[in-house]
Amino acid sequence: MAESSSTSRLSLVTRHEASTISHMTDLSRWSIFSILEPDVLTSIKKVCVFGSSGNEAIFLTDDDDVYAIGSNCSSCLGLGDTHSSFTPRKIEGLCKKKVVDIAFGSGPHVLAVTENGDVYSWGHNGYCQLGNGGSNQGFQPAIVNTNLQGKKVFHVACGSHHSMALTSEGEIYAWGQNNCGQVGTGTTTNQPTPRKITAVIGCRTVVAISCGQTSSMALMDNGELYGWGYNGNGQLGLGNNVNQPNPCKVAGALSGLIISQVVSGYAHTMALSDEGVLYSWGANSYGQLGTSSKANQVYPTKVERTERFVEIAASHYTHISAAMSQTGKVYMWGQCRGQSVTSPMLTRFNCVDDVFATFSAPPISWRTYSVEHVSGSRIAQNICKAFDDPVTADLKFVVEDREIHVHKSILKIRCEYFRSMFQSCWEEDGKDTIEITQYPYSVYRAFLQYLYTDQVDLVPEEAIGLLDLANAYCEPILKNYCEQIIKQGITVKDVAMLYAAAIKFEAKVLEEFCFRFALNHMTAVTQTEAFTKLDECVVKEFIRKAALAGAFKY
């Protein structure tokens, strides 16, 4: 059986989203938001915090209005003037445009992308980083037309004074300062307008980009990583300190791996494999590589952790790094409020964004952050606390000889299955104790707790049982939660079993995810015990799909 070629393998990377994993953060952690009125804070849906001291911010509201607040250095707030203000002011040129992504440079200059794929730029322009063909400062958002007209951009990234845009077709355009080759044109001449990067990568599809101060990275759809620009600290991961004006493939420890995420710090880079293994390289004077030392690394180096990571974070503005594990734990390392932390340190945060708001210097946002507002109502809090409370409960489930205390009214409100069960025509309606034998205790408890809290607290290994339950009880939202948990914990060893389960429970998104993962690790997967136990029909369908995806081409 021939393994698929690198050009036909499809990666597990999804298109850039403002918030890959949904978690709530407290906006007041960023000091610039702490002075806003509560009604303003609750209307915010996206934020971008930047500036040399974290003193500038742009935010979007539920009404699709765009506001700016802060010191307005180099007219980076896009308000048409140079006035600073602690009172939010509208950026009129972006209101009602449905902005989906914002990036910023060190000048600072700012880029914004709208839902229809248009790119706007403003702010500092001494190195042509606004892409308008000149070097005059931009006081208001102006659309970047040259070479991007007709292209749908969905993500932008900025280095110190250069800019990059990624289109829905997987093309990269770059412009601005190019003294170290960071624009990828093969020269060191500044680029005044967007120019498509084709050297080395040709017409291959790019799925993610990131910028260090004067370096650039691109992730291909087959999981391969390329870097170019300044390499004085080894941040390109090429095994040397030579600047590169054209994209170069990052190999070494990444050879044969499928990379699913890449982020860039000031002068270091981190990459996450599709199996949750973290690699870092580049500058390490503050411990930002997480390798328990301060020695620079010119090759990708594995960050030794027992937990699997599902999200990594860094910004070209800082020397701090952060990551989230599959169990929702958030770690940080590097320059944390002036201290050097050389290995991942567990925090009490529930999202990586809080690390940058609280411990980064300056306190900036590493991405356009989508705010998840959760009402602090006492009703919601009290309902959460009422779960498994024998004092107020009027019903208990017995699972594996263990009791779970609940309230019929809450179950009926939250779940159609229980609404039908607790009717006079059902035997269960008159009972105060119901025994459950179809599911294990941990799974059934997690399900009932979800009905009270809207949260799922299960490890990936147990989530497959909850997926079965969610499918049986017709709970599509819970089913989606389970799929997300399972995806974060997939390994070569169990992907075949999970693929079969996804088919059985009609979890189409999970099925496709498992298939792509198995395709990327075909040889190893086909030798696992789980694969040998697959039903014959499932194996035939898998082989058929793999053939269509080019797995057996020589």
Side-chain angles (χ1 to χ4, degrees):
M1 183 180 290
E3 184 109 25
S4 61
S5 68
S6 62
T7 55
S8 65
R9 288 157 64 188
L10 299 177
S11 94
L12 305 177
V13 179
T14 56
R15 294 295 191 185
H16 171 89
E17 296 176 354
S19 183
T20 308
I21 300 176
S22 181
H23 286 277
M24 183 183 68
T25 189
D26 181 358
L27 286 181
S28 64
R29 292 189 190 276
W30 278 292
S31 58
I32 195 167
F33 290 130
S34 63
I35 60 172
L36 297 182
E37 294 295 330
D39 60 333
V40 175
L41 284 172
T42 56
S43 72
I44 296 175
K45 66 177 181 180
K46 292 180 187 289
V47 300
C48 180
V49 184
F50 55 101
S52 59
S53 301
N55 285 338
E56 282 131 349
I58 294 170
F59 62 86
L60 286 70
T61 67
D62 293 328
D63 295 328
D64 197 29
D65 286 326
V66 184
Y67 290 84
I69 184 173
S71 60
N72 206 12
C73 179
S74 299
S75 301
C76 64
L77 298 185
L79 298 168
D81 55 42
T82 58
H83 303 315
S84 302
S85 174
F86 279 130
T87 301
R89 299 164 61 195
K90 276 188 181 182
I91 307 178
E92 297 291 352
L94 293 180
C95 290
K96 312 304 181 185
K97 295 284 179 63
K98 296 184 178 179
V99 172
V100 295
D101 194 27
I102 302 173
F104 51 86
S106 299
H109 74 286
V110 184
L111 304 179
V113 182
T114 63
E115 191 177 74
N116 64 5
D118 291 330
V119 178
Y120 290 80
S121 65
W122 65 94
H124 190 270
N125 195 32
Y127 300 92
C128 306
Q129 60 264 50
L130 298 188
N132 56 21
S135 58
N136 292 329
Q137 186 166 298
F139 290 87
Q140 292 177 303
I143 196 165
V144 182
N145 273 324
T146 306
N147 295 330
L148 291 183
Q149 204 161 25
K151 299 291 181 179
K152 185 172 182 178
V153 173
F154 71 92
H155 178 44
V156 285
C158 296
S160 178
H161 302 295
H162 75 289
S163 307
M164 291 206 299
L166 181 58
T167 72
S168 58
E169 291 88 10
E171 302 170 322
I172 312 175
Y173 288 81
W175 61 95
Q177 187 180 38
N178 195 32
N179 59 323
C180 302
Q182 58 265 47
V183 173
T185 58
T187 72
T188 55
T189 303
N190 290 353
Q191 178 61 35
T193 56
R195 178 171 175 173
K196 184 179 176 181
I197 297 177
T198 56
V200 182
I201 63 175
C203 296
R204 297 173 62 186
T205 302
V206 178
V207 294
I209 55 176
S210 70
C211 293
Q213 276 281 293
T214 48
S215 62
S216 305
M217 304 297 298
L219 180 58
M220 304 296 142
D221 66 346
N222 66 345
E224 292 179 346
L225 194 61
Y226 286 77
W228 60 96
Y230 184 68
N231 195 32
N233 297 286
Q235 55 261 62
L236 300 186
L238 305 175
N240 57 50
N241 296 106
V242 180
N243 295 351
Q244 300 294 335
N246 285 315
C248 295
K249 183 179 176 180
V250 183
L254 301 190
S255 295
L257 297 182
I258 306 298
I259 299 303
S260 61
Q261 188 184 355
V262 60
V263 293
S264 298
Y266 184 95
H268 77 287
T269 308
M270 299 196 299
L272 186 66
S273 79
D274 67 342
E275 294 188 273
V277 181
L278 174 59
Y279 295 83
S280 61
W281 58 94
N284 196 29
S285 55
Y286 300 97
Q288 59 263 48
L289 299 186
T291 56
S292 301
S293 76
K294 292 186 180 181
N296 290 3
Q297 298 291 336
V298 296
Y299 285 111
T301 303
K302 183 178 178 181
V303 178
E304 297 294 343
R305 300 299 300 172
T306 55
E307 282 198 276
R308 176 177 180 147
F309 287 120
V310 296
E311 184 176 43
I312 54 177
S315 168
H316 73 90
Y317 250 50
T318 70
H319 306 287
I320 195 172
S321 304
M324 176 182 285
S325 73
Q326 68 176 22
T327 57
K329 296 177 182 176
V330 174
Y331 294 83
M332 69 178 186
W333 60 98
Q335 189 181 36
C336 304
R337 282 201 171 184
Q339 296 188 43
S340 295
V341 179
T342 60
S343 60
M345 175 182 178
L346 180 62
T347 72
R348 298 178 65 183
F349 300 131
N350 68 355
C351 67
V352 291
D353 303 85
D354 285 344
V355 171
F356 288 81
T358 309
F359 280 89
S360 173
I364 47 83
S365 55
W366 72 280
R367 61 177 170 187
T368 304
Y369 182 71
S370 292
V371 182
E372 179 186 334
H373 290 294
V374 178
S375 172
S377 74
R378 292 176 59 191
I379 294 176
Q381 293 173 4
N382 289 338
I383 289 176
C384 290
K385 291 178 181 179
F387 174 66
D388 204 13
D389 179 11
V391 176
T392 60
D394 58 0
L395 174 69
K396 63 182 177 184
F397 287 96
V398 178
V399 190
E400 296 179 342
D401 297 325
R402 300 170 69 180
E403 297 179 351
I404 310 171
H405 298 86
V406 293
H407 308 74
K408 285 185 180 180
S409 296
I410 292 177
L411 300 192
K412 289 164 68 175
I413 291 170
R414 292 280 288 142
C415 179
E416 181 65 35
Y417 179 87
F418 287 124
R419 192 152 46 248
S420 299
M421 175 187 288
F422 299 127
Q423 293 181 357
S424 56
C425 58
W426 280 55
E427 180 183 350
E428 285 82 358
D429 183 50
K431 293 183 176 181
D432 57 10
T433 302
I434 298 175
E435 185 174 1
I436 300 295
T437 58
Q438 304 97 315
Y439 302 99
Y441 172 82
S442 60
V443 168
Y444 210 78
R445 178 182 173 83
F447 168 59
L448 294 174
Q449 189 168 21
Y450 159 76
L451 297 180
Y452 280 73
T453 66
D454 259 343
Q455 296 180 356
V456 178
D457 184 18
L458 272 185
V459 296
E461 293 76 13
E462 295 180 315
I464 193 70
L466 188 56
L467 176 64
D468 180 14
L469 190 155
N471 190 63
Y473 283 25
C474 300
E475 289 288 329
I477 296 177
L478 177 59
K479 189 174 177 180
N480 181 60
Y481 283 163
C482 292
E483 290 184 40
Q484 293 300 319
I485 294 172
I486 294 168
K487 283 163 64 175
Q488 292 176 0
I490 283 177
T491 65
V492 166
K493 183 178 179 181
D494 61 15
V495 66
M497 177 272 291
L498 295 173
Y499 175 69
I503 294 174
K504 177 182 178 181
F505 302 135
E506 298 180 343
K508 296 298 183 182
V509 174
L510 179 61
E511 177 187 340
E512 184 64 17
F513 189 91
C514 290
F515 171 73
R516 296 298 173 187
F517 186 100
L519 191 64
N520 286 332
H521 302 274
M522 176 78 80
T523 301
V525 170
T526 55
Q527 297 178 57
T528 62
E529 182 180 356
F531 189 84
T532 63
K533 292 182 178 180
L534 287 180
D535 180 82
E536 182 180 348
C537 293
V538 174
V539 173
K540 286 182 178 179
E541 177 62 14
F542 176 83
I543 293 174
R544 185 190 69 81
K545 289 178 65 177
L548 291 175
F552 310 124
K553 292 179 180 178
Y554 289 92

